[in-house]
Every structure is written in structure tokens, then in C-alpha cells.
């Protein structure tokens, strides 16, 4: 079964090629292949080999931290959209955590806020994901800590504890210096609402994946059920289907023959019809 959105692999290739690392050094053999990149998701075992090759290739170029800085400059469209929202850093990080659930739906995440200005994240691999990938957890630490570059803040130091098949991260989040700092209550309410909706959609994707893996339940019928429940048009149903498969707005536009801006409008309507405020 395919487990990882190829958008994350493609973004890693772009960052690496700009540093002079040829894609042939990272792809092929037991790693992700060019053929895998034609699909929306790639198998976890190939992704693990890709991570090991990526880590080795970046050692002369600043290691994981160097990769994370380059990756943040060439982030997937989902991350860029969050960056443009200019939300406070704490809420931004929580949304990035939730976005990770779309990219890696078989990696369980638990978020806690043990103290003001501190976020803790624990990631663990589901039992069916084999093998373990310490490199994956190290790259998560680097890219998450540098993700705040997208909203004009310096990277956040990350404390990581690495265990077999899981990792725990601690982030000390700086206070907001944007205009949102003067409207914190309203912003927190809106961001929390969006976070809750992302987590609901993430749970829906997990449920769809689990139902397909465990019992072969017809995913298409479930999408039609949601379409009827929310009163979606046929085109909005197509957009929802592709979103659940992990496609970005740009990829959806390419497949449906629509402009990316048109897809964004459809996504906004999906949020509205599903009962979530903008």
C-alpha cells in the first residue's frame, strides 16, 4: 500500500538539485523511483531508503539543518499557503503538525502544550509501517524547526528524543510580533477552528485508508455519502476525492483542467459546506 505523499519527495528533490545533488543519487533501486513520482503516494519502504540517501547526500552541505533551510524555501504548496496566512507562530506550528497528517497519514501524532510558549509533539509509526526510519524522524525535527521561516521568523530550536519507531520533540515558541498579537483572542478562535477542521479531515482520511486496508470497504461510496450530506456539486466531489488522495491544489487543477485559483475556490466552498467557518 502507498503511504507517503509524493509532494514531499518532489519538494526534497527540488531543494537537493538546487544544491547540486543530482536526483539520480537519490532515486532508483530500492529508493523512490521516477515511476513512483507519477503517482500521488509512494510506498513507505522506498521512502525510508530515500531518507537515508537524502541524509547522506546532504552531509557535505550542512546536514539535516542545511536541508531544512533549503526545503523551507521550496516548501510544498500546502505549507506555502499556511505561511501566507501570517498567523502567530504557535498556531502556525500546530497547523503544520496537522498538515503532516495529510502527508504521512500512517504516522500517529500527539500534541501537548505543557507550559505557555512550549509545544511538545510525539510522532510514532503505525505497526504496519516497516522498517523503522531514524532518518525520517531527524528530517522531521529539521523541517519543523525551520518551518517558521515561512512567516518571517527565525528557526525554532528543537529538542528531540529518538526512540525505536517514535520520536518526541519540544519547541519553545517565540511570542507573536505580528498584528495578530493585538487580536490574539480572535485569531486563536479562528485558528483553532481551522485546526479542528483539519484534524477532522485527517481523521476522515485515516478512516478511509484503514477501511481500504482492513476490509476493502468501497471508498467511492463514502465520498458519495459525504457529497450528498454536504450538498456538493459533481466538480466539488471530484476536488474532495483528489484531496483525500493527497493531491495539492496545483495537482488537482492539472487533473481537472482547472486553474489553481479555481481549485482554491472549490476548497473554500468545501470548508463552508462541511460546516467550518472561513
Amino acid at each position: 500500500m502507498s503511504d507517503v505523499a509524493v509532494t514531499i519527495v518532489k519538494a526534497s528533490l527540488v531543494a537537493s538539485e538546487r544544491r547540486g545533488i543530482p536526483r539520480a543519487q537519490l532515486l532508483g533501486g530500492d529508493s523512490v523511483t521516477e515511476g513512483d513520482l507519477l503517482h500521488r503516494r509512494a510506498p513507505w519502504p522506498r521512502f525510508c531508503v530515500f531518507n537515508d540517501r537524502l541524509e547522506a547526500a546532504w552531509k557535505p552541505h550542512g546536514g539535516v539543518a542545511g536541508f531544512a533551510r533549503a526545503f523551507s524555501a521550496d516548501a510544498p504548496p500546502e505549507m506555502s499557503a499556511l505561511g501566507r496566512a501570517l498567523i502567530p507562530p504557535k498556531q502556525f506550528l500546530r497547523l503544520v503538525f496537522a498538515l503532516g497528517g495529510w502527508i504521512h497519514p500512517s504516522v500517529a501524532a500527539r500534541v501537548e502544550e505543557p507550559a505557555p510558549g512550549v509545544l511538545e509533539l510525539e510522532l510514532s509509526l503505525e505497526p504496519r509501517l516497516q522498517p523503522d526510519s531514524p532518518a525520517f524522524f531527524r528530517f522531521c525535527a529539521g523541517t519543523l524547526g525551520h518551518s517558521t521561516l515561512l512567516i518571517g521568523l527565525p528557526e525554532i530550536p528543537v529538542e528531540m528524543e529518538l526512540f525505536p519507531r517514535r520520536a518526541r520533540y519540544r519547541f519553545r515558541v517565540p511570542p507573536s510580533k505580528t498584528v495578530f498579537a493585538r487580536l490574539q483572542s480572535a485569531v486563536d478562535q479562528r485558528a483553532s477552528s481551522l485546526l479542528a477542521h483539519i484534524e477532522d479531515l485527517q481523521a476522515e482520511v485515516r478512516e478511509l485508508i484503514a477501511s481500504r486496508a482492513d476490509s476493502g470497504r468501497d471508498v467511492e461510496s463514502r465520498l458519495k455519502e459525504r457529497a450528498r450530506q454536504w450538498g456538493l456539486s459533481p466538480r466539488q466531489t471530484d476536488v474532495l476525492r483528489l484531496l483525500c488522495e493527497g493531491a495539492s491544489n496545483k495537482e488537482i487543477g492539472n487533473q481537472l483542467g482547472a486553474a489553481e485559483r479555481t481549485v482554491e475556490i472549490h476548497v473554500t466552498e468545501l470548508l463552508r459546506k462541511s460546516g467550518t467557518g472561513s
Side-chain angles (χ1 to χ4, degrees):
M1 180 180 176
S2 295
D3 302 293
V4 180
V6 297
T7 53
I8 202 74
V9 176
K10 291 178 179 178
S12 299
L13 290 173
V14 170
S16 299
E17 287 178 309
R18 289 187 176 178
R19 180 61 69 173
I21 300 171
R23 61 194 294 129
Q25 184 176 344
L26 305 175
L27 301 179
D30 295 333
S31 180
V32 177
T33 65
E34 293 286 358
D36 291 324
L37 298 181
L38 300 177
H39 303 285
R40 296 189 186 91
R41 310 193 77 83
W44 174 260
R46 290 182 180 275
F47 182 63
C48 291
V49 177
F50 176 82
N51 283 331
D52 291 338
R53 291 188 184 181
L54 191 67
E55 188 173 36
W58 274 86
K59 281 185 178 179
H61 307 287
V64 171
F67 168 82
R69 282 189 289 271
F71 183 83
S72 295
D74 296 294
E78 297 91 342
M79 289 188 179
S80 297
L82 290 176
R84 289 194 298 269
L86 295 177
I87 61 176
K90 182 177 72 175
Q91 293 293 356
F92 175 77
L93 268 180
R94 291 182 69 93
L95 289 172
V96 171
F97 295 162
L99 177 61
W102 285 92
I103 299 174
H104 304 289
S106 297
V107 177
R110 182 172 59 85
V111 182
E112 295 181 350
E113 189 173 350
V118 176
L119 285 179
E120 289 186 351
L121 169 68
E122 182 169 308
L123 299 178
S124 57
L125 306 183
E126 291 185 357
R128 68 179 185 82
L129 284 187
Q130 298 291 340
D132 192 2
S133 179
F136 165 74
F137 292 113
R138 288 191 286 268
F139 277 118
C140 286
T143 53
L144 289 172
H146 287 76
S147 63
T148 45
L149 294 173
L150 291 170
I151 54 174
L153 293 175
E155 62 268 23
I156 297 177
V158 182
E159 301 171 17
M160 180 182 72
E161 294 181 87
L162 185 61
F163 309 92
R165 300 182 57 79
R166 67 185 179 93
R168 184 180 299 120
Y169 310 93
R170 172 176 283 238
F171 304 82
R172 297 190 182 277
V173 186
S176 174
K177 296 181 180 180
T178 70
V179 294
F180 294 106
R182 299 190 295 271
L183 302 170
Q184 191 67 56
S185 177
V187 171
D188 283 346
Q189 183 177 358
R190 293 183 63 187
S192 297
S193 175
L194 178 57
L195 173 63
H197 184 64
I198 290 177
E199 291 173 342
D200 287 344
L201 290 178
Q202 177 185 343
E204 188 74 17
V205 173
R206 286 180 182 274
E207 188 177 351
L208 288 172
I209 292 175
S211 66
R212 175 178 288 178
D214 297 336
S215 63
R217 185 175 179 181
D218 184 6
V219 176
E220 186 66 24
S221 66
R222 300 199 58 182
L223 287 170
K224 290 180 179 179
E225 179 182 341
R226 288 297 184 197
R228 288 194 299 270
Q229 178 182 350
W230 293 341
L232 303 183
S233 68
R235 180 47 62 94
Q236 289 167 350
T237 303
D238 291 338
V239 172
L240 176 61
R241 179 183 295 104
L242 294 172
L243 280 174
C244 288
E245 292 177 358
S248 66
N249 288 351
K250 184 176 181 180
E251 291 172 331
I252 293 173
N254 291 338
Q255 293 197 45
L256 299 182
E260 186 173 355
R261 176 56 183 161
T262 301
V263 175
E264 291 175 356
I265 292 173
H266 285 312
V267 173
T268 299
E269 279 297 294
L270 283 173
L271 295 175
R272 185 184 67 79
K273 290 186 175 182
S274 62
T276 299
S278 172

